[in-house]
Amino acid sequence: MMDDYNLPFWIYLAVVTVFVGGAMKKVLASHLSAGPTLVAWLGATVLVERLWAFCLPAMLLLVLLALMAFVYSRSRTGPPPSLPAQGKAVFITGCDTGFGNAAAKHLDSLGFDVFATVLNLTGDGARELQRRCSSRLTLLQVDITQPQQVQQALLDTKAKLGLQGLWGLVNNAGVCANLGDAELTLMSNFRSCMEVNFFGTVSVTKTFLPLVRQARGRIVTISSPAGDQPFPCLAAYGASKAALNLFTNTLRHELDPWGVQVSTILPSSYKTAPSSNHTYWEQQHKQLLQSLPPALLEDYGEDYVTETKTLFQSFAEHANPDFSPVVDSIVQALLSPQPQARYYAGPGLSLTYFIHSYFPFSISDRYLKRMFLKKTLMPRALRKQSGLEVDLGLDNRNNNEEKLQQL
């Protein structure tokens, strides 16, 4: 019976299964009426099946798709159309290090009038910007969680712009105050992430939006895939980015009549400060152990918390140090005549989003765990329940007895 079906049939079956399964997953997760969506997907499936059976053999369809992709890529070999940067002003938050620092330098080199905010005007990042950038760059000391500083930055920017509007607002400032499971994450970390990543960004956006509307310009926000997908041990950070993503998507609809284009950039893993600092993780780990209630620490185990810290350190050490994909995405969002709503900056994101969108939750969750933090320890209470803690204790006692006998 199996011989009646050749390889192209199984390829076809796999493709249809993935897309129909993805549709069913979205319907079940939406908790909305599944009728219209299900009928539409079943109709599309039947149509594809009829076309397959009567018009396009499997291999021919694959060849046709490959040919179309080749022709499309050849038609886009030239550089994408771009608006001029000269005479355009852009305001960037969080330029002490990382994406903001790299973007400020690059946008200045393209001819933008850059307003770069830093937390420390005498810090290394600020001095580097002053040394490497032109006189067009303006440094501003701004903590985006402080409304008075945001308002002062607006006044300083207006004073330099004159009657000119603000072409670009790049919301880059953010923090990742996270070091473990949601239950182990301190409430102060949840609040810190929300204050900077969400409320701070909303404050800056609302404050500078009149200037952006005046120029019919662009709003570019650096977010994270953790705001779309349940990365383990990133509950506080991911929740703040999820709120930010919804805010940005809402702005995209609301500002379209004003001629303002809104884009979100989703970077993969990059080596940004302070996550690349070994001392930072040690301090976070120490603070967490001192702050957790004794009963909760007993349930999870200090070794469990330490392993999580070690995995975060290892992940940060192997992150990509080259920020150019993110910086290039910022430039495209600012200068493309038709910017995209979303830019995926970095390798592996397309596969991650494909699996998250179309595969069952059991598979997508397992993929995230393997890709991000490959934990080997269970919480201590679960080990005790399964007998692992007892077995380990017996093994340790037996080993100690053998050593004593040898002595």
Side-chain angles (χ1 to χ4, degrees):
M1 187 68 177
M2 296 291 291
D3 295 338
D4 295 338
Y5 302 100
N6 54 15
L7 180 61
F9 170 80
W10 291 112
I11 296 175
Y12 159 73
L13 184 62
V15 171
V16 172
T17 301
V18 166
F19 281 96
V20 173
M24 290 301 298
K25 174 184 174 181
K26 288 174 182 276
V27 168
L28 293 173
S30 66
H31 303 292
L32 300 175
S33 175
T37 305
L38 185 58
V39 169
W41 273 92
L42 288 177
T45 303
V46 172
L47 177 61
V48 171
E49 184 179 7
R50 292 302 91 195
L51 288 173
W52 191 290
F54 293 109
C55 304
L56 296 174
M59 283 309 213
L60 178 59
L61 180 60
L62 293 176
V63 171
L64 180 61
L65 290 174
L67 181 61
M68 291 172 60
F70 175 76
V71 172
Y72 178 75
S73 63
R74 294 288 292 179
S75 66
R76 295 173 61 87
T77 51
S82 179
L83 301 174
Q86 283 72 21
K88 290 182 171 63
V90 60
F91 186 94
I92 314 174
T93 62
C95 296
D96 296 86
T97 60
F99 303 143
N101 188 276
K105 289 182 288 191
H106 187 65
L107 293 177
D108 176 79
S109 70
L110 294 178
F112 279 98
D113 296 329
V114 177
F115 294 84
T117 77
V118 293
L119 285 173
N120 187 359
L121 281 173
T122 61
D124 293 338
R127 287 200 297 266
E128 182 186 12
L129 290 175
Q130 288 176 322
R131 184 174 64 253
R132 296 186 54 178
C133 295
S134 70
S135 58
R136 294 190 309 274
L137 182 131
T138 302
L139 279 176
L140 300 169
Q141 194 279 319
V142 180
D143 179 345
I144 66 171
T145 66
Q146 302 299 317
Q148 303 90 337
Q149 295 185 22
V150 175
Q151 286 294 330
Q152 186 59 51
L154 175 66
L155 296 176
D156 294 340
T157 303
K158 277 184 172 181
K160 282 216 167 187
L161 286 177
L163 298 177
Q164 176 189 1
L166 183 66
W167 174 256
L169 169 62
V170 180
N171 290 313
N172 168 72
V175 295
C176 181
N178 233 111
L179 189 62
D181 302 47
E183 189 178 11
L184 298 176
T185 302
L186 305 177
M187 284 305 300
S188 59
N189 288 352
F190 278 97
R191 293 190 178 95
S192 175
C193 284
M194 290 299 295
E195 282 295 332
V196 178
N197 299 340
F198 181 65
F199 290 115
T201 302
V202 171
S203 173
V204 171
T205 303
K206 287 172 61 65
T207 300
F208 283 85
L209 193 48
L211 291 181
V212 179
R213 285 194 288 102
Q214 178 185 338
R216 298 176 66 87
R218 308 288 170 83
I219 296 177
V220 183
T221 300
I222 311 298
S223 186
S224 169
D228 295 324
Q229 304 178 39
F231 281 81
C233 297
L234 285 182
Y237 178 72
S240 66
K241 290 296 187 178
L244 180 61
N245 288 347
L246 185 58
F247 171 72
T248 305
N249 286 333
T250 304
L251 276 184
R252 182 166 49 83
H253 293 294
E254 295 175 347
L255 296 180
D256 184 61
W258 294 91
V260 175
Q261 302 293 318
V262 179
S263 299
T264 302
I265 296 177
L266 301 159
S268 58
S269 176
Y270 288 91
K271 190 172 291 187
T272 57
S275 63
S276 58
N277 188 334
H278 182 82
T279 305
Y280 167 80
W281 294 110
E282 295 297 334
Q283 291 174 344
Q284 293 290 313
H285 178 240
K286 182 179 179 181
Q287 179 188 4
L288 181 60
L289 290 178
Q290 292 174 345
S291 304
L292 286 177
L296 186 58
L297 183 58
E298 174 65 23
D299 282 344
Y300 278 87
E302 186 173 334
D303 56 347
Y304 180 87
V305 178
T306 300
E307 183 194 42
T308 304
K309 180 263 299 184
T310 303
L311 291 172
F312 266 106
Q313 281 181 320
S314 176
F315 189 82
E317 289 172 358
H318 293 89
N320 189 356
D322 179 15
F323 301 149
S324 57
V326 179
V327 175
D328 291 343
S329 297
I330 293 174
V331 173
Q332 292 176 34
L334 289 173
L335 294 181
S336 173
Q338 294 181 327
Q340 301 175 25
R342 282 192 156 200
Y343 290 88
Y344 300 94
L349 287 181
S350 298
L351 177 60
T352 302
Y353 272 90
F354 178 79
I355 293 176
H356 174 71
S357 299
Y358 294 104
F359 281 69
F361 289 121
S362 58
I363 295 178
S364 60
D365 290 349
R366 190 177 299 117
Y367 175 78
L368 285 182
K369 290 177 182 177
R370 289 184 176 275
M371 182 188 69
F372 185 51
L373 297 179
K374 300 177 183 178
K375 295 187 69 65
T376 60
L377 287 176
M378 289 190 302
R380 179 181 293 164
L382 296 180
R383 280 178 272 163
K384 286 182 178 179
Q385 292 176 11
S386 61
L388 292 177
E389 192 83 1
V390 175
D391 292 342
L392 289 173
L394 289 174
D395 290 341
N396 289 334
R397 284 198 296 271
N398 291 335
N399 290 335
N400 291 335
E401 290 175 0
E402 289 178 0
K403 292 178 180 178
L404 288 173
Q405 290 174 0
Q406 292 174 0
L407 292 174

